[in-house]
Amino acid sequence: EDQVTQSPEALRLQEGESSSLNCSYTVSGLRGLFWYRQDPGKGPEFLFTLYSAGEEKEKERLKATLTKKESFLHITAPKPEDSATYLCAVQAGHAGNMLTFGGGTRLMVKP
Amino acid sequence: GAVVSQHPSWVICKSGTSVKIECRSLDFQATTMFWYRQFPKQSLMLMATSNEGSKATYEQGVEKDKFLINHASLTLSTLTVTSAHPEDSSFYICSARIGLANTYEQYFGPGTRLTVT
């Protein structure tokens, strides 16, 4: 059974305090790992797709990395507007188009 | 690019009535669309997968007769909650997959807040 676990569940940072969010996964035949950002009352916003171990992608203050067992979302010098829930999801080769989501990490950045 | 819209953004209905939610891919053709349900402070729960022109595939525990899905075109899917009850109140989100080979990203709509009184 495919599983995705995100940690921590919640994270409070001061503005400028860099940190990382973790996404551990167990999946048979990883097709892709996805990071999304979700603001309250809104749908998830696509951030990154990672396909193979060693791959890295960056967007502004965010950088996503992937190993064979986990992915990290690094947030460098976060700002209050980075506050949101960050969701990790995997797509397995046997699962068609279905995504398996983790529980998310609620990030709060205080000014 | 890759914009998905939903309509309405919120709806309040009386118990026993039916509600239709539309999901549209605005600037791409979506071979596959998905419907999710999300409870407060919880992650997304996949309800069903729909492919254009064919019947939707429902996840275990999701009532087919209660949540009717129609994927009429490559840019439109609808979810109809029939005979809605208060326990159907939730945040419903659709997503769409771009129909390109080796591209697996799903883009999500803004969600529809359903409240059944």
Side-chain angles (χ1 to χ4, degrees), chain B residues 89-104:
Chain B
S89 299
S90 190
F91 192 52
Y92 292 89
I93 312 174
C94 73
S95 71
R97 174 178 173 254
I98 293 178
L100 296 175
N102 298 320
T103 299
Y104 305 112

Side-chain angles (χ1 to χ4, degrees), chain A residues 6 21 45 63 75 95:
Chain A
Q6 290 187 247
L21 313 182
E45 173 191 346
K63 179 180 178 181
I75 303 178

Side-chain angles (χ1 to χ4, degrees), chain B residues 40-66:
Chain B
K41 296 188 178 181
Q42 293 188 24
S43 194
L44 285 76
M45 181 188 80
L46 180 66
M47 298 175 65
T49 302
S50 73
N51 292 293
E52 185 263 338
S54 60
K55 290 184 178 181
T57 302
Y58 291 81
E59 294 301 304
Q60 193 172 9
V62 178
E63 298 178 59
K64 301 178 183 180
D65 295 332
K66 180 162 197 61

